[in-house]
Amino acid sequence: MSECVLYEHRGPVGYLTINRPKALNALNEEVLLNLENAISLINEDKRIKVVILTGSGEKSFVAGADIAAMKDMSPVEARDFSRLGQRVFRSIETARPIVIAAINGYALGGGCELAMACDIRVASEKAKMGIPEVTLGVFPSFAGTQRLPRLVGLGYAKEMLATAKKVPAEEALRIGLVNHVVPAEQLMEYCEGLAAEICQHSTAAIAYGKMSMNAGLEMDMDRALEHEATLFGLTFSTEDQREGMGAFLEKRSPKFP
Ligand code: CAA
C-alpha cells in the first residue's frame, strides 16, 4: 500500500489515515484505489472489529476531491472519477466492521461525502463540514447528493449545496451530520472509547444488523422486514448467538471471540 493511505491495527481496531497533508488530504485516484484496497484487506481480516478513519495533520480530515487532478478532466473522465469515488465509499458503507470517522478538521466536498459513508461520525470541535462544490462549478458526486439528504433531510441538504457554507462542528451536531463533538485533543481517545465498547459485543451480530439497516433503507417496508427476518435467522447459525443468550440465562458476561 502506498504512503497516501496509512493502515495499521492494534488488536481488534484498524486505523486508516488519509495521508496527503500538504494537499489537506485531497482525494485523487491513487488515494481512492488505496482506500478501496485497504477496506478489502480489512474485510478479510477477521481480527478487525472496528475501523477508525481519519486524516493526517492538524488541519484537515479531507478537503475534498483533488481539484488539480480534476480540472482538465473530460466529461467521461469526470463521470468515471465520480463512479470510482461512489464505489469506494460504498465499500466503506458496506464494510464488514463498523467504521468510525474521526473528523479532525475540514471535511469538505468529497471529505464530507467520505465521512457520510462511515457508520459513525465524531467531530473535533475545530471541524468544519460542507459541500462547497458549487463554488467550483460542479456539485458533490461521491454520493453526497444521496447521503446528505438522507442524513440531515432534504431542506438542510439543499441549503448546504446552494450556500456552499462550511458548517461548524456544533451545527453539524445539531442537524445530525455528526454523532458527537469533542475537544480536538480528545478526538482519538473518544473514538477509541467507542471502538472499545463496540468490541465487547458480537461482531457477527453487529455486521448483520448493519447490513439490515443499510439494505433496509433502500427497500420498501415489507421487503425490508423480510430481509431483516432472514438476517436475524442467520444470527442463529453463529456461535455468538449461543454464547450471548446462554450467558444471559446463566447470569454471566458473554465471551465473544
Ligand atoms: N484539492 C486539491 N488541493 C487542495 C484541496 C483540494 N480539494 N484543498 C486544499 N488543497 C491544497 C491547496 O491547493 C494548497 O496547496 P498549495 O499549498 O500547494 O497551494 C494546500 O492544500 C493548502 O490549502 P489552502 O492554502 O487553501 O489552505 P487554507 O487553510 O487557506 O484553506 C480550505 C483550507 C478552506 C480547506 C481550502 O483549501 C479549500 O477551500 N479547499 C477546497 C475545498 C473544496 O472545494 N472541496 C471540494 C472539492 S470538489 C469535490 O470534492 C467534488 C466531488 O464531490 C467529487
Side-chain angles (χ1 to χ4, degrees), residues 16 31-44 51 53 83-99 113-114 116-119 142-143 147 210 214:
L16 266 176
V31 175
L32 290 169
L33 289 172
N34 275 276
L35 195 50
E36 183 174 46
N37 186 32
I39 292 293
S40 129
L41 293 174
I42 286 167
N43 277 336
E44 282 163 25
V51 175
L53 171 63
R83 284 180 174 162
L84 172 65
Q86 290 171 353
R87 186 181 85 210
V88 175
F89 289 8
R90 186 75 169 143
S91 78
I92 294 171
E93 185 170 55
T94 58
R96 181 186 51 74
I98 289 289
V99 182
E113 295 175 291
L114 175 60
M116 289 191 290
C118 297
D119 299 302
F142 289 168
R147 290 198 180 97
K210 169 173 164 172
N214 275 342

mmCIF file of all heavy atoms in Angstrom, residues 16 31-44 51 53 83-99 113-114 116-119 142-143 147 210 214:
data_model
loop_
_atom_site.group_PDB
_atom_site.id
_atom_site.type_symbol
_atom_site.label_atom_id
_atom_site.label_comp_id
_atom_site.label_asym_id
_atom_site.label_seq_id
_atom_site.Cartn_x
_atom_site.Cartn_y
_atom_site.Cartn_z
ATOM 1 N N LEU A 16 -7.135 3.724 9.800
ATOM 2 C CA LEU A 16 -6.896 4.141 8.415
ATOM 3 C C LEU A 16 -6.700 5.650 8.411
ATOM 4 O O LEU A 16 -7.524 6.380 8.977
ATOM 5 C CB LEU A 16 -8.130 3.823 7.571
ATOM 6 C CG LEU A 16 -8.175 2.512 6.808
ATOM 7 C CD1 LEU A 16 -9.540 2.368 6.132
ATOM 8 C CD2 LEU A 16 -7.052 2.402 5.791
ATOM 9 N N VAL A 31 -5.345 7.752 -4.033
ATOM 10 C CA VAL A 31 -5.867 7.628 -2.667
ATOM 11 C C VAL A 31 -7.101 6.734 -2.668
ATOM 12 O O VAL A 31 -7.243 5.826 -1.830
ATOM 13 C CB VAL A 31 -6.232 9.020 -2.080
ATOM 14 C CG1 VAL A 31 -6.882 8.866 -0.716
ATOM 15 C CG2 VAL A 31 -5.005 9.906 -1.978
ATOM 16 N N LEU A 32 -7.991 6.984 -3.613
ATOM 17 C CA LEU A 32 -9.239 6.215 -3.641
ATOM 18 C C LEU A 32 -8.961 4.719 -3.835
ATOM 19 O O LEU A 32 -9.550 3.874 -3.148
ATOM 20 C CB LEU A 32 -10.165 6.737 -4.744
ATOM 21 C CG LEU A 32 -10.760 8.131 -4.467
ATOM 22 C CD1 LEU A 32 -11.435 8.698 -5.715
ATOM 23 C CD2 LEU A 32 -11.755 8.075 -3.303
ATOM 24 N N LEU A 33 -8.043 4.404 -4.751
ATOM 25 C CA LEU A 33 -7.757 2.978 -5.004
ATOM 26 C C LEU A 33 -7.084 2.329 -3.796
ATOM 27 O O LEU A 33 -7.363 1.180 -3.452
ATOM 28 C CB LEU A 33 -6.887 2.827 -6.260
ATOM 29 C CG LEU A 33 -7.622 3.140 -7.575
ATOM 30 C CD1 LEU A 33 -6.644 3.148 -8.749
ATOM 31 C CD2 LEU A 33 -8.764 2.154 -7.833
ATOM 32 N N ASN A 34 -6.223 3.084 -3.142
ATOM 33 C CA ASN A 34 -5.565 2.542 -1.940
ATOM 34 C C ASN A 34 -6.557 2.346 -0.786
ATOM 35 O O ASN A 34 -6.455 1.387 -0.035
ATOM 36 C CB ASN A 34 -4.426 3.461 -1.505
ATOM 37 C CG ASN A 34 -3.154 3.139 -2.253
ATOM 38 O OD1 ASN A 34 -2.411 2.234 -1.878
ATOM 39 N ND2 ASN A 34 -2.916 3.831 -3.352
ATOM 40 N N LEU A 35 -7.487 3.258 -0.710
ATOM 41 C CA LEU A 35 -8.525 3.144 0.322
ATOM 42 C C LEU A 35 -9.369 1.895 0.051
ATOM 43 O O LEU A 35 -9.676 1.109 0.964
ATOM 44 C CB LEU A 35 -9.385 4.413 0.269
ATOM 45 C CG LEU A 35 -10.306 4.751 1.415
ATOM 46 C CD1 LEU A 35 -9.586 4.687 2.748
ATOM 47 C CD2 LEU A 35 -10.874 6.173 1.207
ATOM 48 N N GLU A 36 -9.713 1.702 -1.198
ATOM 49 C CA GLU A 36 -10.523 0.536 -1.568
ATOM 50 C C GLU A 36 -9.765 -0.760 -1.252
ATOM 51 O O GLU A 36 -10.330 -1.711 -0.694
ATOM 52 C CB GLU A 36 -10.847 0.596 -3.068
ATOM 53 C CG GLU A 36 -11.746 -0.532 -3.533
ATOM 54 C CD GLU A 36 -12.161 -0.346 -4.985
ATOM 55 O OE1 GLU A 36 -11.287 -0.033 -5.838
ATOM 56 O OE2 GLU A 36 -13.348 -0.507 -5.274
ATOM 57 N N ASN A 37 -8.491 -0.752 -1.565
ATOM 58 C CA ASN A 37 -7.659 -1.919 -1.296
ATOM 59 C C ASN A 37 -7.588 -2.201 0.211
ATOM 60 O O ASN A 37 -7.726 -3.353 0.658
ATOM 61 C CB ASN A 37 -6.260 -1.653 -1.890
ATOM 62 C CG ASN A 37 -5.377 -2.853 -1.788
ATOM 63 O OD1 ASN A 37 -5.846 -3.983 -1.846
ATOM 64 N ND2 ASN A 37 -4.086 -2.620 -1.612
ATOM 65 N N ALA A 38 -7.421 -1.131 0.981
ATOM 66 C CA ALA A 38 -7.336 -1.290 2.445
ATOM 67 C C ALA A 38 -8.644 -1.864 2.988
ATOM 68 O O ALA A 38 -8.631 -2.761 3.848
ATOM 69 C CB ALA A 38 -7.027 0.057 3.095
ATOM 70 N N ILE A 39 -9.760 -1.377 2.507
ATOM 71 C CA ILE A 39 -11.055 -1.870 3.001
ATOM 72 C C ILE A 39 -11.214 -3.342 2.655
ATOM 73 O O ILE A 39 -11.704 -4.148 3.450
ATOM 74 C CB ILE A 39 -12.220 -1.035 2.409
ATOM 75 C CG1 ILE A 39 -12.188 0.383 2.972
ATOM 76 C CG2 ILE A 39 -13.579 -1.684 2.666
ATOM 77 C CD1 ILE A 39 -12.494 0.513 4.452
ATOM 78 N N SER A 40 -10.762 -3.706 1.473
ATOM 79 C CA SER A 40 -10.913 -5.112 1.103
ATOM 80 C C SER A 40 -10.020 -6.021 1.969
ATOM 81 O O SER A 40 -10.448 -7.102 2.401
ATOM 82 C CB SER A 40 -10.701 -5.227 -0.411
ATOM 83 O OG SER A 40 -9.798 -6.170 -0.732
ATOM 84 N N LEU A 41 -8.818 -5.551 2.318
ATOM 85 C CA LEU A 41 -7.956 -6.327 3.238
ATOM 86 C C LEU A 41 -8.604 -6.420 4.620
ATOM 87 O O LEU A 41 -8.590 -7.475 5.260
ATOM 88 C CB LEU A 41 -6.581 -5.666 3.368
ATOM 89 C CG LEU A 41 -5.713 -5.677 2.111
ATOM 90 C CD1 LEU A 41 -4.436 -4.869 2.342
ATOM 91 C CD2 LEU A 41 -5.362 -7.114 1.725
ATOM 92 N N ILE A 42 -9.182 -5.309 5.064
ATOM 93 C CA ILE A 42 -9.822 -5.276 6.388
ATOM 94 C C ILE A 42 -11.006 -6.240 6.424
ATOM 95 O O ILE A 42 -11.213 -6.962 7.399
ATOM 96 C CB ILE A 42 -10.268 -3.823 6.714
ATOM 97 C CG1 ILE A 42 -9.051 -2.963 7.052
ATOM 98 C CG2 ILE A 42 -11.300 -3.796 7.839
ATOM 99 C CD1 ILE A 42 -9.311 -1.473 7.092
ATOM 100 N N ASN A 43 -11.782 -6.257 5.352
ATOM 101 C CA ASN A 43 -12.946 -7.165 5.309
ATOM 102 C C ASN A 43 -12.533 -8.622 5.486
ATOM 103 O O ASN A 43 -13.271 -9.419 6.048
ATOM 104 C CB ASN A 43 -13.685 -7.024 3.973
ATOM 105 C CG ASN A 43 -14.641 -5.848 3.984
ATOM 106 O OD1 ASN A 43 -15.087 -5.421 5.044
ATOM 107 N ND2 ASN A 43 -14.955 -5.329 2.815
ATOM 108 N N GLU A 44 -11.342 -8.941 4.959
ATOM 109 C CA GLU A 44 -10.888 -10.329 5.040
ATOM 110 C C GLU A 44 -10.217 -10.656 6.368
ATOM 111 O O GLU A 44 -10.038 -11.823 6.697
ATOM 112 C CB GLU A 44 -9.896 -10.615 3.901
ATOM 113 C CG GLU A 44 -10.613 -10.827 2.585
ATOM 114 C CD GLU A 44 -9.669 -10.696 1.406
ATOM 115 O OE1 GLU A 44 -8.453 -10.916 1.575
ATOM 116 O OE2 GLU A 44 -10.169 -10.357 0.322
ATOM 117 N N VAL A 51 -13.037 0.051 12.648
ATOM 118 C CA VAL A 51 -12.007 0.832 11.962
ATOM 119 C C VAL A 51 -12.217 2.302 12.325
ATOM 120 O O VAL A 51 -13.359 2.775 12.373
ATOM 121 C CB VAL A 51 -12.120 0.653 10.432
ATOM 122 C CG1 VAL A 51 -11.139 1.557 9.693
ATOM 123 C CG2 VAL A 51 -11.904 -0.808 10.041
ATOM 124 N N LEU A 53 -11.222 5.942 10.939
ATOM 125 C CA LEU A 53 -10.718 6.586 9.717
ATOM 126 C C LEU A 53 -10.515 8.064 10.003
ATOM 127 O O LEU A 53 -11.434 8.747 10.478
ATOM 128 C CB LEU A 53 -11.747 6.391 8.596
ATOM 129 C CG LEU A 53 -11.551 7.147 7.282
ATOM 130 C CD1 LEU A 53 -10.266 6.730 6.586
ATOM 131 C CD2 LEU A 53 -12.728 6.897 6.353
ATOM 132 N N ARG A 83 -17.779 7.777 -10.446
ATOM 133 C CA ARG A 83 -18.118 6.362 -10.204
ATOM 134 C C ARG A 83 -17.112 5.693 -9.276
ATOM 135 O O ARG A 83 -17.472 4.884 -8.424
ATOM 136 C CB ARG A 83 -18.149 5.586 -11.528
ATOM 137 C CG ARG A 83 -19.399 5.867 -12.331
ATOM 138 C CD ARG A 83 -19.353 5.062 -13.606
ATOM 139 N NE ARG A 83 -20.591 5.190 -14.353
ATOM 140 C CZ ARG A 83 -20.701 4.892 -15.639
ATOM 141 N NH1 ARG A 83 -19.657 4.462 -16.327
ATOM 142 N NH2 ARG A 83 -21.862 5.015 -16.254
ATOM 143 N N LEU A 84 -15.816 6.041 -9.466
ATOM 144 C CA LEU A 84 -14.785 5.449 -8.603
ATOM 145 C C LEU A 84 -15.022 5.851 -7.151
ATOM 146 O O LEU A 84 -15.023 5.004 -6.247
ATOM 147 C CB LEU A 84 -13.390 5.895 -9.071
ATOM 148 C CG LEU A 84 -12.227 5.509 -8.156
ATOM 149 C CD1 LEU A 84 -12.059 3.987 -8.093
ATOM 150 C CD2 LEU A 84 -10.911 6.166 -8.619
ATOM 151 N N GLY A 85 -15.218 7.151 -6.925
ATOM 152 C CA GLY A 85 -15.472 7.627 -5.561
ATOM 153 C C GLY A 85 -16.714 6.975 -4.974
ATOM 154 O O GLY A 85 -16.727 6.540 -3.810
ATOM 155 N N GLN A 86 -17.763 6.890 -5.773
ATOM 156 C CA GLN A 86 -19.008 6.256 -5.287
ATOM 157 C C GLN A 86 -18.751 4.806 -4.882
ATOM 158 O O GLN A 86 -19.224 4.340 -3.844
ATOM 159 C CB GLN A 86 -20.074 6.281 -6.391
ATOM 160 C CG GLN A 86 -20.612 7.667 -6.681
ATOM 161 C CD GLN A 86 -21.493 7.684 -7.932
ATOM 162 O OE1 GLN A 86 -21.588 6.699 -8.647
ATOM 163 N NE2 GLN A 86 -22.132 8.825 -8.187
ATOM 164 N N ARG A 87 -17.995 4.103 -5.738
ATOM 165 C CA ARG A 87 -17.737 2.669 -5.475
ATOM 166 C C ARG A 87 -16.928 2.482 -4.191
ATOM 167 O O ARG A 87 -17.248 1.629 -3.350
ATOM 168 C CB ARG A 87 -16.968 2.092 -6.671
ATOM 169 C CG ARG A 87 -16.750 0.598 -6.604
ATOM 170 C CD ARG A 87 -15.968 0.137 -7.816
ATOM 171 N NE ARG A 87 -14.537 0.275 -7.625
ATOM 172 C CZ ARG A 87 -13.654 0.502 -8.600
ATOM 173 N NH1 ARG A 87 -14.046 0.660 -9.849
ATOM 174 N NH2 ARG A 87 -12.360 0.586 -8.328
ATOM 175 N N VAL A 88 -15.885 3.307 -4.032
ATOM 176 C CA VAL A 88 -15.015 3.161 -2.861
ATOM 177 C C VAL A 88 -15.794 3.513 -1.589
ATOM 178 O O VAL A 88 -15.719 2.806 -0.580
ATOM 179 C CB VAL A 88 -13.758 4.049 -3.007
ATOM 180 C CG1 VAL A 88 -12.913 3.993 -1.755
ATOM 181 C CG2 VAL A 88 -12.951 3.617 -4.236
ATOM 182 N N PHE A 89 -16.577 4.579 -1.663
ATOM 183 C CA PHE A 89 -17.336 4.989 -0.463
ATOM 184 C C PHE A 89 -18.413 3.954 -0.131
ATOM 185 O O PHE A 89 -18.706 3.712 1.036
ATOM 186 C CB PHE A 89 -17.960 6.369 -0.660
ATOM 187 C CG PHE A 89 -16.951 7.492 -0.661
ATOM 188 C CD1 PHE A 89 -15.584 7.245 -0.667
ATOM 189 C CD2 PHE A 89 -17.359 8.819 -0.653
ATOM 190 C CE1 PHE A 89 -14.656 8.272 -0.666
ATOM 191 C CE2 PHE A 89 -16.436 9.856 -0.649
ATOM 192 C CZ PHE A 89 -15.083 9.581 -0.661
ATOM 193 N N ARG A 90 -18.990 3.363 -1.164
ATOM 194 C CA ARG A 90 -19.979 2.309 -0.916
ATOM 195 C C ARG A 90 -19.314 1.117 -0.218
ATOM 196 O O ARG A 90 -19.908 0.482 0.661
ATOM 197 C CB ARG A 90 -20.585 1.870 -2.257
ATOM 198 C CG ARG A 90 -21.712 0.889 -2.134
ATOM 199 C CD ARG A 90 -22.973 1.567 -1.667
ATOM 200 N NE ARG A 90 -24.124 0.705 -1.790
ATOM 201 C CZ ARG A 90 -25.111 0.672 -0.924
ATOM 202 N NH1 ARG A 90 -25.109 1.467 0.134
ATOM 203 N NH2 ARG A 90 -26.127 -0.117 -1.105
ATOM 204 N N SER A 91 -18.064 0.845 -0.620
ATOM 205 C CA SER A 91 -17.366 -0.285 0.011
ATOM 206 C C SER A 91 -17.095 0.016 1.494
ATOM 207 O O SER A 91 -17.040 -0.894 2.320
ATOM 208 C CB SER A 91 -16.070 -0.644 -0.737
ATOM 209 O OG SER A 91 -15.034 0.260 -0.406
ATOM 210 N N ILE A 92 -16.957 1.273 1.826
ATOM 211 C CA ILE A 92 -16.794 1.642 3.246
ATOM 212 C C ILE A 92 -18.129 1.479 3.973
ATOM 213 O O ILE A 92 -18.208 0.890 5.045
ATOM 214 C CB ILE A 92 -16.274 3.098 3.360
ATOM 215 C CG1 ILE A 92 -14.857 3.175 2.791
ATOM 216 C CG2 ILE A 92 -16.338 3.594 4.802
ATOM 217 C CD1 ILE A 92 -14.317 4.578 2.642
ATOM 218 N N GLU A 93 -19.173 1.991 3.334
ATOM 219 C CA GLU A 93 -20.502 1.924 3.964
ATOM 220 C C GLU A 93 -20.921 0.479 4.224
ATOM 221 O O GLU A 93 -21.577 0.183 5.226
ATOM 222 C CB GLU A 93 -21.512 2.598 3.030
ATOM 223 C CG GLU A 93 -22.912 2.715 3.572
ATOM 224 C CD GLU A 93 -23.766 3.599 2.672
ATOM 225 O OE1 GLU A 93 -23.861 3.310 1.458
ATOM 226 O OE2 GLU A 93 -24.320 4.580 3.160
ATOM 227 N N THR A 94 -20.533 -0.411 3.322
ATOM 228 C CA THR A 94 -20.967 -1.806 3.447
ATOM 229 C C THR A 94 -19.850 -2.712 4.000
ATOM 230 O O THR A 94 -19.977 -3.926 3.975
ATOM 231 C CB THR A 94 -21.437 -2.360 2.076
ATOM 232 O OG1 THR A 94 -20.357 -2.244 1.151
ATOM 233 C CG2 THR A 94 -22.641 -1.599 1.550
ATOM 234 N N ALA A 95 -18.770 -2.103 4.482
ATOM 235 C CA ALA A 95 -17.665 -2.906 5.029
ATOM 236 C C ALA A 95 -18.166 -3.761 6.195
ATOM 237 O O ALA A 95 -19.099 -3.377 6.896
ATOM 238 C CB ALA A 95 -16.544 -1.987 5.513
ATOM 239 N N ARG A 96 -17.535 -4.892 6.393
ATOM 240 C CA ARG A 96 -17.957 -5.782 7.498
ATOM 241 C C ARG A 96 -17.840 -5.090 8.864
ATOM 242 O O ARG A 96 -18.803 -5.084 9.638
ATOM 243 C CB ARG A 96 -17.125 -7.082 7.454
ATOM 244 C CG ARG A 96 -17.472 -8.101 8.527
ATOM 245 C CD ARG A 96 -16.520 -9.282 8.495
ATOM 246 N NE ARG A 96 -15.117 -8.883 8.501
ATOM 247 C CZ ARG A 96 -14.455 -8.418 9.554
ATOM 248 N NH1 ARG A 96 -15.043 -8.300 10.717
ATOM 249 N NH2 ARG A 96 -13.180 -8.064 9.467
ATOM 250 N N PRO A 97 -16.688 -4.474 9.187
ATOM 251 C CA PRO A 97 -16.615 -3.825 10.516
ATOM 252 C C PRO A 97 -17.330 -2.475 10.516
ATOM 253 O O PRO A 97 -17.564 -1.888 9.458
ATOM 254 C CB PRO A 97 -15.110 -3.606 10.732
ATOM 255 C CG PRO A 97 -14.415 -4.232 9.594
ATOM 256 C CD PRO A 97 -15.388 -4.403 8.489
ATOM 257 N N ILE A 98 -17.614 -1.983 11.699
ATOM 258 C CA ILE A 98 -18.109 -0.612 11.880
ATOM 259 C C ILE A 98 -16.943 0.342 11.594
ATOM 260 O O ILE A 98 -15.814 0.106 12.039
ATOM 261 C CB ILE A 98 -18.607 -0.425 13.335
ATOM 262 C CG1 ILE A 98 -19.906 -1.216 13.560
ATOM 263 C CG2 ILE A 98 -18.773 1.058 13.700
ATOM 264 C CD1 ILE A 98 -21.140 -0.656 12.860
ATOM 265 N N VAL A 99 -17.230 1.390 10.833
ATOM 266 C CA VAL A 99 -16.195 2.382 10.519
ATOM 267 C C VAL A 99 -16.570 3.708 11.185
ATOM 268 O O VAL A 99 -17.659 4.236 10.971
ATOM 269 C CB VAL A 99 -16.045 2.584 8.992
ATOM 270 C CG1 VAL A 99 -14.922 3.581 8.701
ATOM 271 C CG2 VAL A 99 -15.784 1.251 8.282
ATOM 272 N N GLU A 113 -18.380 13.780 2.053
ATOM 273 C CA GLU A 113 -19.009 12.571 1.497
ATOM 274 C C GLU A 113 -18.368 11.308 2.067
ATOM 275 O O GLU A 113 -19.054 10.313 2.335
ATOM 276 C CB GLU A 113 -18.882 12.594 -0.030
ATOM 277 C CG GLU A 113 -19.654 13.748 -0.662
ATOM 278 C CD GLU A 113 -19.436 13.850 -2.154
ATOM 279 O OE1 GLU A 113 -18.309 14.199 -2.571
ATOM 280 O OE2 GLU A 113 -20.366 13.569 -2.917
ATOM 281 N N LEU A 114 -17.044 11.372 2.272
ATOM 282 C CA LEU A 114 -16.346 10.227 2.873
ATOM 283 C C LEU A 114 -16.840 10.012 4.311
ATOM 284 O O LEU A 114 -17.139 8.880 4.720
ATOM 285 C CB LEU A 114 -14.828 10.477 2.854
ATOM 286 C CG LEU A 114 -13.951 9.442 3.553
ATOM 287 C CD1 LEU A 114 -14.131 8.055 2.932
ATOM 288 C CD2 LEU A 114 -12.473 9.843 3.488
ATOM 289 N N MET A 116 -19.650 10.817 5.520
ATOM 290 C CA MET A 116 -21.039 10.328 5.496
ATOM 291 C C MET A 116 -21.133 8.849 5.144
ATOM 292 O O MET A 116 -22.117 8.193 5.477
ATOM 293 C CB MET A 116 -21.877 11.152 4.510
ATOM 294 C CG MET A 116 -22.147 12.560 4.992
ATOM 295 S SD MET A 116 -23.384 13.406 4.002
ATOM 296 C CE MET A 116 -22.535 13.668 2.467
ATOM 297 N N ALA A 117 -20.120 8.327 4.456
ATOM 298 C CA ALA A 117 -20.127 6.890 4.112
ATOM 299 C C ALA A 117 -19.738 6.025 5.314
ATOM 300 O O ALA A 117 -19.948 4.818 5.307
ATOM 301 C CB ALA A 117 -19.184 6.632 2.942
ATOM 302 N N CYS A 118 -19.167 6.671 6.341
ATOM 303 C CA CYS A 118 -18.791 5.920 7.544
ATOM 304 C C CYS A 118 -20.038 5.672 8.399
ATOM 305 O O CYS A 118 -21.069 6.324 8.227
ATOM 306 C CB CYS A 118 -17.741 6.696 8.342
ATOM 307 S SG CYS A 118 -16.196 6.915 7.423
ATOM 308 N N ASP A 119 -19.928 4.724 9.321
ATOM 309 C CA ASP A 119 -21.103 4.359 10.122
ATOM 310 C C ASP A 119 -21.368 5.355 11.247
ATOM 311 O O ASP A 119 -22.511 5.623 11.603
ATOM 312 C CB ASP A 119 -20.885 2.967 10.747
ATOM 313 C CG ASP A 119 -20.694 1.914 9.668
ATOM 314 O OD1 ASP A 119 -21.594 1.770 8.831
ATOM 315 O OD2 ASP A 119 -19.633 1.253 9.659
ATOM 316 N N PHE A 142 -19.627 12.159 -5.065
ATOM 317 C CA PHE A 142 -19.235 10.878 -4.469
ATOM 318 C C PHE A 142 -20.387 10.445 -3.552
ATOM 319 O O PHE A 142 -20.211 10.137 -2.392
ATOM 320 C CB PHE A 142 -17.923 10.998 -3.682
ATOM 321 C CG PHE A 142 -16.680 11.179 -4.538
ATOM 322 C CD1 PHE A 142 -15.467 11.556 -3.950
ATOM 323 C CD2 PHE A 142 -16.680 10.962 -5.905
ATOM 324 C CE1 PHE A 142 -14.310 11.718 -4.702
ATOM 325 C CE2 PHE A 142 -15.524 11.136 -6.669
ATOM 326 C CZ PHE A 142 -14.341 11.513 -6.060
ATOM 327 N N ALA A 143 -21.590 10.504 -4.111
ATOM 328 C CA ALA A 143 -22.834 10.119 -3.421
ATOM 329 C C ALA A 143 -23.320 11.137 -2.406
ATOM 330 O O ALA A 143 -24.246 10.863 -1.652
ATOM 331 C CB ALA A 143 -22.724 8.725 -2.780
ATOM 332 N N ARG A 147 -26.484 10.812 0.065
ATOM 333 C CA ARG A 147 -26.367 10.556 1.519
ATOM 334 C C ARG A 147 -26.729 11.782 2.362
ATOM 335 O O ARG A 147 -27.290 11.638 3.441
ATOM 336 C CB ARG A 147 -24.947 10.075 1.877
ATOM 337 C CG ARG A 147 -24.654 8.676 1.371
ATOM 338 C CD ARG A 147 -23.474 7.988 2.042
ATOM 339 N NE ARG A 147 -23.326 6.665 1.459
ATOM 340 C CZ ARG A 147 -22.470 6.361 0.486
ATOM 341 N NH1 ARG A 147 -21.640 7.268 0.010
ATOM 342 N NH2 ARG A 147 -22.439 5.133 -0.011
ATOM 343 N N LYS A 210 -25.957 -4.127 10.786
ATOM 344 C CA LYS A 210 -25.552 -3.044 9.882
ATOM 345 C C LYS A 210 -26.082 -3.315 8.466
ATOM 346 O O LYS A 210 -26.605 -2.429 7.796
ATOM 347 C CB LYS A 210 -24.014 -2.943 9.910
ATOM 348 C CG LYS A 210 -23.400 -2.046 8.848
ATOM 349 C CD LYS A 210 -21.901 -1.867 9.049
ATOM 350 C CE LYS A 210 -21.256 -1.303 7.794
ATOM 351 N NZ LYS A 210 -19.848 -0.923 7.960
ATOM 352 N N ASN A 214 -28.541 -0.928 6.359
ATOM 353 C CA ASN A 214 -28.112 -0.383 5.059
ATOM 354 C C ASN A 214 -29.067 -0.787 3.955
ATOM 355 O O ASN A 214 -29.549 0.040 3.189
ATOM 356 C CB ASN A 214 -26.721 -0.925 4.679
ATOM 357 C CG ASN A 214 -25.600 -0.109 5.294
ATOM 358 O OD1 ASN A 214 -25.807 1.018 5.714
ATOM 359 N ND2 ASN A 214 -24.424 -0.685 5.355
#
